Amino acid sequence: GLGLILNFVFQYVIRSETVSLLTVGFLVASFAASVSSLLAITVDRYLSLYNALTYYSERTVLCIHTMLAGAWGVSLCLGLLPVLGWNCLHDRTSCSVVRPLTKSNVTLLSASFFLIFLIMLHLYIEICKIVCRHAHQIALQQHFLTASHYVTTKKGVSTLAIILGTFGASWLPFAIYCVVGDPDYPSVYTYATLLPATYNSMINPIIYAYRNQEIQRSMWVLFCGCFQAKVSFRSRSPSDV
């Protein structure tokens, strides 16, 4: 959000080509980091279910730091591309809907997003399969599928659907507009399609807090200083995601 504000200010209020390159680079890096973080969370969630028995023993702080460093490293490299010369300041015909990014630069970013979206879609489908398989195994052990197991499985799958649906609804308009949009279109179209992408980072914590009882409990402890549950909070089962 800060990158979007800075980019707008230096594009239309305080005109400076050098600062414009810096702000658009910051904008690209921050948005790429946001998408990469969501991908990293998806991969981590998948591994925690796929290797449920060995996940906590194999996962190390170094592994997490490596994943974060990789996500931010790639994001910073993408953000530096306009600053290092991949821009349209000297060739207006090559400008994209996001000035001063070139059409080829924006196409690369859009293609990267579509690839990440497909990877996340595939992983979430696999997660849903694992969750349903866990519920089925529990049902076989107990000879029937209890109502609580059914509700847990349904809630877990619906949460994944909401997260992925929100991610697609927030980012797809801008990614599609970058490909099909014309640089002569009013800039308000670019900002109108880009704003929902900033909302995605704000909506995700709300989804997690609303759907996850452990987060609800932590929020109660944080803001109330004490916890007097009106409903029982249970431990996570393998079906929870």
Side-chain angles (χ1 to χ4, degrees), residues 6 10 26 33 40 62 66-67 99 101 112 119 125 129 133 145 150 161 182-183 189 229:
L6 290 175
F10 285 99
F26 178 71
L62 178 61
T66 302
M67 186 179 296
R99 299 181 181 90
L101 297 182
S112 300
I119 293 174
I125 291 175
K129 291 180 180 179
R133 185 164 63 248
L145 183 63
Y150 174 77
D182 190 279
Y189 293 169

Side-chain angles (χ1 to χ4, degrees), residues 120-136:
M120 291 180 61
L121 178 62
H122 173 72
L123 289 177
Y124 275 131
I125 291 175
E126 293 299 318
I127 288 173
C128 289
K129 291 180 180 179
I130 294 174
V131 169
C132 293
R133 185 164 63 248
H134 284 174
H136 181 67

Side-chain angles (χ1 to χ4, degrees), residues 86-99:
W86 202 359
N87 57 69
C88 65
L89 293 180
H90 304 293
D91 183 14
R92 299 293 179 179
T93 59
S94 64
C95 283
S96 66
V97 293
V98 185
R99 299 181 181 90

Side-chain angles (χ1 to χ4, degrees), residues 21-158:
L21 284 176
L22 293 175
T23 56
V24 78
F26 178 71
L27 183 65
V28 170
S30 58
F31 274 84
S34 177
V35 175
S36 299
S37 298
L38 292 176
L39 176 62
I41 292 172
T42 305
V43 172
D44 187 67
R45 179 179 287 115
Y46 171 74
L47 293 177
S48 69
L49 291 174
Y50 185 76
N51 299 317
L53 298 179
T54 60
Y55 173 74
Y56 289 101
S57 61
E58 293 180 351
R59 188 186 64 169
T60 62
V61 175
L62 178 61
C63 179
I64 299 300
H65 288 172
T66 302
M67 186 179 296
L68 289 173
W72 277 96
V74 172
S75 302
L76 290 175
C77 289
L78 291 174
L80 285 174
L81 290 178
V83 181
L84 295 177
W86 202 359
N87 57 69
C88 65
L89 293 180
H90 304 293
D91 183 14
R92 299 293 179 179
T93 59
S94 64
C95 283
S96 66
V97 293
V98 185
R99 299 181 181 90
L101 297 182
T102 64
K103 295 177 182 178
S104 56
N105 193 345
V106 167
T107 301
L108 172 65
L109 295 175
S110 299
S112 300
F113 166 78
F114 285 119
L115 178 61
I116 291 176
F117 182 75
L118 290 176
I119 293 174
M120 291 180 61
L121 178 62
H122 173 72
L123 289 177
Y124 275 131
I125 291 175
E126 293 299 318
I127 288 173
C128 289
K129 291 180 180 179
I130 294 174
V131 169
C132 293
R133 185 164 63 248
H134 284 174
H136 181 67
Q137 291 172 350
I138 294 173
L140 291 178
Q141 292 175 0
Q142 299 184 355
H143 304 295
F144 63 93
L145 183 63
T146 63
S148 62
H149 290 146
Y150 174 77
V151 170
T152 298
T153 304
K154 183 179 179 181
K155 184 178 180 180
V157 173
S158 62

